[in-house]
Amino acid sequence: MDKVTILDLKKMKDEGDKISVLTAYDYPTARILDECGVEVILVGDSVGNVVTGRINTLPVTIEEMIYHTQAVSRAVKNALVIIDMPFMSYQTSIEEARKNAGRMIKESGAEAVKLEGGVNMEETIKAITDIDIPVMAHIGLTPQSIHRMGGYQIQGKEDKQKEKLLKDAQAVERAGAFSVVLEVIPKNLAKEITKILGIPTIGIGAGIHCDGQVLVIHDLLGMSGEFRPKFVKKYINLEELISKAVKEYITEVKDIKFPGNKHSFH
Ligand code: KIV
């Protein structure tokens, strides 16, 4: 398989092939996902919650994003690697956004950036794509807006919100985004957006009709503890498997069974 590009994703939408996207934040996970053939690896600012245990994504810094994306990029041969722009790296001014997007691409090894927002980010997305940095947009439930939204609840249920989301979707396409994440919106609204846009829609909690799907890898693997939103499908309970292995190790150390002859030098 060749390196996936943004053109491949557009082609997949046009030909009705679904796009698989997963998050990764470290070298070994990225290597496995890439070898499995996922088309896109997103180094999400969800690293803040999932890997570093914060209560939301707001404290995540540009440096952290670059650090994690460098590790991912070193492992990936085929998938398109996207780096999330963290809170306050693109909201203060268009110049700042452009400079930070440039730095993040230059230093991280990613091929595209992602940022949250619709109509309010139209100019910013245009400015970044104008200097040839591909932008994935993100609308609906946007975790960096947690304090405005007052929680992680479904967006676009009422008519007014629905109209706003349709405008957001059209704005990011007009601005030059190559794709858009639709997070936690009704599936029929996601269907409508997917139909009217020429760029691929990537859903998370947005139903089956999107052009592709994204999940946080720790959720899919069952490593997110009690966190279990409706849209997450736990494909395996890795937490259970890890606990079992670690407990066995502890017991063997205490019972003087590990290391055995096989694991010792003679
Ligand atoms: O930060 C993230 O991982 C994301 C995805 C859930 C879309 O934004």
Side-chain angles (χ1 to χ4, degrees):
M1 191 165 117
D2 289 333
K3 184 83 186 167
V4 176
T5 70
I6 62 168
L7 303 184
D8 294 319
L9 302 183
K10 166 74 176 137
K11 190 160 173 257
M12 287 177 78
K13 172 175 178 116
D14 293 343
E15 293 178 357
D17 291 336
K18 297 286 185 184
I19 302 163
S20 59
V21 183
L22 281 172
T23 69
Y25 319 96
D26 61 64
Y27 183 94
T29 311
R31 182 178 54 77
I32 296 169
L33 303 191
D34 193 49
E35 283 171 7
C36 287
V38 70
E39 282 92 12
V40 179
I41 296 183
L42 168 68
V43 187
D45 61 354
S46 51
V47 69
N49 320 65
V50 174
V51 175
T52 59
R54 280 120 161 193
I55 53 162
N56 58 48
T57 58
L58 301 185
V60 175
T61 64
I62 294 179
E63 286 71 23
E64 285 173 85
M65 290 309 305
I66 291 174
Y67 175 80
H68 286 279
T69 309
Q70 283 173 343
V72 166
S73 300
R74 282 182 208 118
V76 171
K77 291 196 174 74
N78 302 118
L80 180 81
V81 177
I82 304 179
I83 182 168
D84 228 351
M85 294 192 73
F87 180 57
M88 292 310 276
S89 67
Y90 57 97
Q91 290 93 340
T92 48
S93 76
I94 288 181
E95 270 329 292
E96 190 79 356
R98 213 178 349 200
K99 213 167 79 194
N100 286 331
R103 178 181 167 207
M104 291 172 77
I105 291 293
K106 215 172 161 78
E107 295 180 25
S108 73
E111 286 108 17
V113 299
K114 178 171 85 57
L115 58 85
E116 297 179 9
V119 171
N120 61 334
M121 284 297 145
E122 187 170 348
E123 292 297 306
T124 304
I125 294 172
K126 183 165 180 341
I128 298 173
T129 54
D130 274 353
I131 54 166
D132 291 340
I133 297 174
V135 176
M136 171 180 259
H138 182 161
I139 64 172
L141 193 166
T142 46
Q144 292 176 18
S145 316
I146 173 71
H147 298 312
R148 171 182 56 78
M149 296 181 308
Y152 295 109
Q153 62 269 36
I154 184 163
Q155 305 293 304
K157 267 194 114 164
E158 289 131 32
D159 284 351
K160 220 168 121 193
Q161 272 192 343
K162 187 179 154 196
E163 285 313 309
K164 183 190 174 304
L165 278 174
L166 283 165
K167 284 193 181 129
D168 283 339
Q170 286 164 314
V172 300
E173 173 164 57
R174 204 163 47 234
F178 71 90
S179 174
V180 57
V181 170
L182 307 178
E183 181 160 352
V184 191
I185 66 172
K187 67 175 188 178
N188 281 339
L189 176 57
K191 184 179 182 183
E192 196 176 335
I193 292 174
T194 301
K195 204 164 150 210
I196 61 173
L197 294 192
I199 57 172
T201 58
I202 306 297
I204 175 160
I208 198 79
H209 303 293
C210 298
D211 298 306
Q213 299 292 331
V214 57
L215 277 181
V216 167
I217 188 66
H218 293 70
D219 296 343
L220 175 154
L221 296 177
M223 286 187 70
S224 304
E226 293 306 302
F227 178 74
R228 194 77 193 277
K230 180 179 162 78
F231 60 83
V232 165
K233 178 168 175 188
K234 189 151 112 179
Y235 283 80
I236 188 172
N237 193 340
L238 211 51
E239 213 160 281
E240 213 170 273
L241 294 180
I242 292 173
S243 296
K244 189 170 171 288
V246 170
K247 281 180 187 156
E248 204 174 314
Y249 164 77
I250 295 170
T251 305
E252 288 200 356
V253 168
K254 307 239 177 251
D255 294 349
I256 324 177
K257 283 192 178 148
F258 177 84
N261 257 342
K262 204 173 134 190
H263 302 104
S264 302
F265 298 99
H266 301 283

